[in-house]
Amino acid sequence: MIKITGVTKIYPTGTPALRHLNLHIGAGEFVSIVGQSGTGKTTLVKMLIAEERPNKGTIEIGGWDISNIDPNDVPYLRRQIGVVFQDFKLLPKRTVYENIAFALEVAGEQRHRIHQVVPQVLEIVNLAHKADSYPFQLSGGEQQRTAIARSLVHRPKIIVADEPTGNLDSINAAEIVDILKKINEFGTTIILVTHNREIVNHLRRRVITLHGGEIVNDENEGKYKL
Ligand SMILES: Nc1ncnc2c1ncn2[C@@H]1O[C@H](COP(=O)(O)OP(=O)(O)O)[C@@H](O)[C@H]1O
Ligand SMILES: [Mg+2]
């Protein structure tokens, strides 16, 4: 599903962020990527959504080499990979429902389709009762669940979550991880990026450790064999 081969990223400032990275992630896996701050985790996420390009190496998603993707094809890629960020990135003047609907509107979806999909994804994150609330009326956990619902609207094959629990207390963090597990059970590949190893310790799934832009450990305690 995801095949990263010999990827090196050096930012224009000269900072090396990833060094000759090789990584395979299979369809349906739940993979956590852990590592201290500044080890290249977000850079890896940006590679996967084509927000940054590698200096060397290739990134294949479902057999499609996106390392030199045409900018016109990026929106198509972004429908296949849902992204969740630490800071939620919700529109403050729109309700939960409208925030999610907006992601479909910009993609040109028809009104009846939007009315169908938004309640479905709200149900998945247990937020149907908050559809008419504004972000400021929600807890941090609820805001992140809204962002996760929004990431699901195009039924992506992959969800990448970059520090999704970074602004949450441990109870809300556990709830977010549970929702990601539930989405994974539907068959979606999940990549959970965090500097907090405690979050992933109890998951009993594959954990990749990055250090200095390199993979220093790749442990697989789940059902998937390496
Ligand atoms: N846009 C950028 N320009 C220059 N250097 C960057 C940029 N983004 C990240 N870096 C550097 O690349 C390295 C990896 O950063 P990042 O991928 O954000 O790490 P992490 O997400 O693990 O904290 C760090 O040294 C960081 O300072
Ligand atoms: Mg980061």
Side-chain angles (χ1 to χ4, degrees):
M1 162 114 297
I2 299 172
K3 193 174 167 199
I4 294 172
T5 312
V7 163
T8 294
K9 176 65 183 178
I10 302 166
Y11 283 105
T13 52
T15 308
L18 295 174
R19 300 168 201 256
H20 205 81
L21 204 77
N22 294 305
L23 176 61
H24 287 201
I25 295 173
E29 273 196 81
F30 189 127
V31 179
S32 302
I33 298 181
V34 302
Q36 292 164 358
S37 182
T39 49
K41 303 182 300 297
T42 294
T43 301
L44 178 56
V45 169
K46 287 179 173 173
M47 298 282 155
L48 292 172
I49 60 172
E51 198 178 309
E52 290 283 351
R53 282 155 194 244
N55 299 80
K56 273 193 211 159
T58 57
I59 299 158
E60 288 167 64
I61 311 270
W64 177 21
D65 183 356
I66 59 153
S67 37
N68 240 324
I69 187 171
D70 185 322
N72 293 324
D73 292 335
V74 171
Y76 179 67
L77 173 71
R78 300 271 171 89
R79 288 184 189 203
Q80 300 189 40
I81 306 185
V83 196
V84 177
F85 300 98
Q86 176 170 354
D87 59 356
F88 322 136
K89 298 197 193 294
L90 299 176
L91 300 166
K93 292 186 177 160
R94 291 177 188 251
T95 64
V96 165
Y97 188 100
E98 290 163 352
N99 263 278
I100 299 166
F102 186 69
L104 290 155
E105 284 162 18
V106 296
E109 292 289 351
Q110 309 232 316
R111 189 176 290 259
H112 76 270
R113 175 84 185 133
I114 295 174
H115 287 323
Q116 196 180 27
V117 172
V118 177
Q120 284 173 359
V121 293
L122 278 176
E123 197 66 44
I124 293 170
V125 300
N126 307 322
L127 267 190
H129 60 295
K130 296 283 184 182
D132 296 327
S133 298
Y134 288 87
F136 77 89
Q137 297 170 319
L138 303 176
S139 72
E142 289 166 343
Q143 290 183 53
Q144 190 58 294
R145 278 149 60 195
T146 304
I148 293 174
R150 180 183 55 190
S151 78
L152 294 172
V153 293
H154 298 301
R155 300 184 184 282
K157 296 187 187 77
I158 303 164
I159 297 279
V160 184
D162 190 1
E163 307 275 6
T165 62
N167 287 346
L168 305 178
D169 61 34
S170 58
I171 293 172
N172 279 302
E175 193 174 29
I176 294 303
V177 173
D178 279 346
I179 286 171
L180 293 174
K181 276 162 74 179
K182 177 166 142 190
I183 294 166
N184 177 245
E185 280 160 19
F186 297 149
T188 308
T189 305
I190 306 282
I191 302 174
L192 169 61
V193 174
T194 178
H195 68 278
N196 185 353
R197 187 172 275 275
E198 270 177 46
I199 299 274
V200 305
N201 273 346
H202 71 283
L203 270 173
R204 299 188 51 76
R205 297 292 184 101
R206 184 175 175 194
V207 179
I208 293 166
T209 308
L210 273 186
H211 186 76
E214 291 175 308
I215 293 173
V216 293
N217 201 12
D218 189 344
E219 283 176 44
N220 201 3
E221 295 181 54
K223 55 184 169 176
Y224 299 97
K225 293 282 166 273
L226 289 178

